[in-house]
Amino acid sequence: MIWDIFCHVIDNHGDLGVCWRLSADLAQRGHTVRLWVDDASALAWMAPQGCAGVAVRAWPDDATLHAQAHDPSFMVGDVVVEAFGCEIPEPFQALMLLGTRRIWINLEYLSAEAYVARSHGLASPVMSGPARGATKWFFFPGLTPDTGGLLREPNLAARQAAFDRQTWLQGLPLNKPIAPNERLISLFCYEPPALPGLLTQLSQADEPTRLLVAPGRPDAAVRAATQALGMASEGEGQLHISPLPYVNQTEFDHLLWTSDLNLVRGEDSLVRALWAGQPFAWHIYPQDDLAHHTKLQAFEAALEMPASLREFHAVWNGLTTDGLTSLSSANLEDWGHWSQQTRQWLQSQTDLTSQLLSFVAQKR
Ligand code: TRH
């Protein structure tokens, strides 16, 4: 099938990260995808190699849409996906009504809250605009079989089985080589209030830690925290800080598979941390109305997270100002055990792209 996927980048990298991953997964399963995006700049590092079968298109302006409307060779895809509630331009909606029926999917954000299973797969009648009377279908990613599932490419497990951690580490551009006994912690976060507490804890720990810091907001947050603590920017005591460059999505997986603890954020890196099967903690995207507190608690409950990891999440996400839970070997071992069990449970469910394909087949 031909797919038109619309992505509006609000902030950060998750909107494009998810849309690219879905597009590439569909293309690898033999579909043709046009990814319409208003800011594709992050693809330069996220997916510099592109993907056969995916054409990235600028968000269509009026002139483009006018030209398309008069171009007999242009056909709207069999499936149109509007990601995360972005509004498809009205002239494109008008084109969607011409010819054969298109399936219109509203792909939503991932959550473990109860409304997800209730709303997944529901029809949403279009009440106004040129597509008035048409139907959109809600498609909700989720953690249970009664939702749309999680993105998981068919070759992921094989890639993971063939991965060699040591070889990969040797190719990582670092400010100081990693010692054999160093623990590796990857950091991809916003501005966690407990970041200074984390740096202090790691610098005073019994064993040495290498903090591998993603560029952008995580790097800026670590710089601000070291400055506030009067700590050297490369760390002190048992902590050594190494800033990383942006890497593509495949390499980002390798970082998560390699690290002894992954501190991830947002939506897509959370899912990749789940597939990595290593201990991880989530810095949830903060919302002004504190809706992220409920979302975090639903996630913890759905995945039956151990109490010590919930405590870490509460402090890391600023729900409490208590001291940060210790990243002791015993805790990491516990969290690793839980993470592997969780991965196994999630792997037993059908992945998002397979579910989306079945859903579309059923609605056509
Ligand atoms: O960037 P994010 O914080 O995106 C967020 C969330 O999606 C959130 O739910 C949404 O509301 C908000 O954006 C607007 O985190 P996320 O979702 O993990 O996306 C990051 C993407 O960037 C992911 O696909 C992984 C990718 N990535 C790389 O490929 N290489 C890198 O070096 C890094 C740091 C990230």
Side-chain angles (χ1 to χ4, degrees):
M1 287 183 290
I2 298 176
W3 295 63
D4 280 305
I5 299 183
F6 282 82
C7 174
H8 171 49
V9 176
I10 300 171
D11 59 2
N12 301 306
H13 310 305
D15 305 292
L16 188 53
V18 170
C19 289
W20 175 260
R21 203 179 284 291
L22 172 63
S23 302
D25 195 5
L26 284 165
Q28 275 151 20
R29 297 176 198 226
H31 298 266
T32 301
V33 181
R34 277 183 299 231
L35 174 58
W36 304 87
V37 54
D38 59 352
D39 178 4
S41 55
L43 289 179
W45 50 266
M46 213 184 260
Q49 71 290 0
C51 176
V54 182
V56 178
R57 299 278 183 94
W59 189 273
D61 58 15
D62 287 351
T64 310
L65 288 162
H66 183 77
Q68 272 164 6
H70 294 90
D71 175 1
S73 68
F74 180 81
M75 292 266 290
V76 173
D78 306 291
V79 188
V80 179
V81 177
E82 63 181 38
F84 312 124
C86 71
E87 272 290 298
I88 294 180
E90 288 202 344
F92 195 94
Q93 293 183 27
L95 291 178
M96 284 166 67
L97 296 186
L98 305 175
T100 52
R101 201 165 72 90
R102 270 73 187 214
I103 304 300
W104 187 347
I105 301 286
N106 185 349
L107 176 68
E108 281 291 342
Y109 286 107
L110 168 66
S111 178
E113 289 161 281
Y115 73 84
V116 166
R118 276 201 311 271
S119 320
H120 174 61
L122 290 185
S124 165
V126 180
M127 307 300 274
S128 60
R132 188 161 174 258
T135 300
K136 295 188 207 183
W137 300 97
F138 280 117
F139 198 93
F140 279 84
L143 304 169
T144 47
D146 48 4
T147 68
L150 301 175
L151 280 167
R152 190 180 75 236
E153 309 80 40
N155 66 351
L156 182 60
R159 271 183 55 214
Q160 227 164 338
F163 177 68
D164 184 64
R165 182 181 192 262
Q166 281 315 324
T167 313
W168 186 77
L169 271 175
Q170 279 159 19
L172 200 59
L174 295 179
N175 52 5
K176 185 182 162 196
I178 291 174
N181 63 339
E182 261 183 300
R183 284 195 311 189
L184 306 184
I185 300 185
S186 72
L187 181 70
F188 182 50
C189 58
Y190 306 108
E191 293 77 28
L195 187 57
L198 175 82
L199 301 182
T200 306
Q201 185 194 126
L202 295 177
S203 68
Q204 296 169 358
D206 293 336
E207 64 265 76
T209 298
R210 178 65 57 99
L211 192 63
L212 300 166
V213 183
R217 289 174 72 169
D219 183 53
V222 168
R223 282 175 197 281
T226 50
Q227 214 162 17
L229 291 167
M231 188 186 270
S233 60
E234 65 276 15
E236 66 183 27
Q238 295 280 46
L239 170 66
H240 190 89
I241 299 170
S242 291
L244 297 178
Y246 277 116
V247 294
N248 65 39
Q249 281 189 335
T250 306
E251 289 290 299
F252 189 71
D253 273 342
H254 296 164
L255 173 69
L256 301 182
W257 301 349
T258 296
S259 299
D260 300 297
L261 172 69
N262 292 309
L263 299 172
V264 291
R265 77 181 199 196
E267 173 161 337
D268 192 51
S269 57
L270 166 69
V271 176
R272 302 319 282 187
L274 283 164
W275 297 141
Q278 297 289 86
F280 72 87
W282 186 30
H283 194 203
I284 189 168
Y285 185 73
Q287 286 166 272
D288 289 339
D289 56 2
L290 302 186
H292 59 290
H293 289 196
T294 316
K295 190 169 171 173
L296 175 64
Q297 281 150 0
F299 175 76
E300 292 172 350
L303 296 183
E304 298 180 1
M305 196 181 272
S308 59
L309 189 51
R310 287 184 200 217
E311 281 162 20
F312 184 92
H313 275 89
V315 184
W316 190 237
N317 285 284
L319 274 63
T320 113
T321 53
D322 295 349
L324 200 58
T325 314
S326 160
L327 295 178
S328 63
S329 311
N331 272 343
L332 288 199
E333 203 177 311
D334 212 23
W335 302 352
H337 187 62
W338 163 79
S339 178
Q340 289 190 9
Q341 276 181 335
T342 304
R343 174 173 65 175
Q344 207 177 2
W345 174 62
L346 292 170
Q347 276 171 339
S348 70
Q349 299 177 32
T350 309
D351 69 273
L352 186 144
T353 304
S354 301
Q355 290 213 49
L356 186 55
L357 289 168
S358 308
F359 187 81
V360 165
Q362 193 195 329
K363 299 298 174 203
R364 281 183 100 194

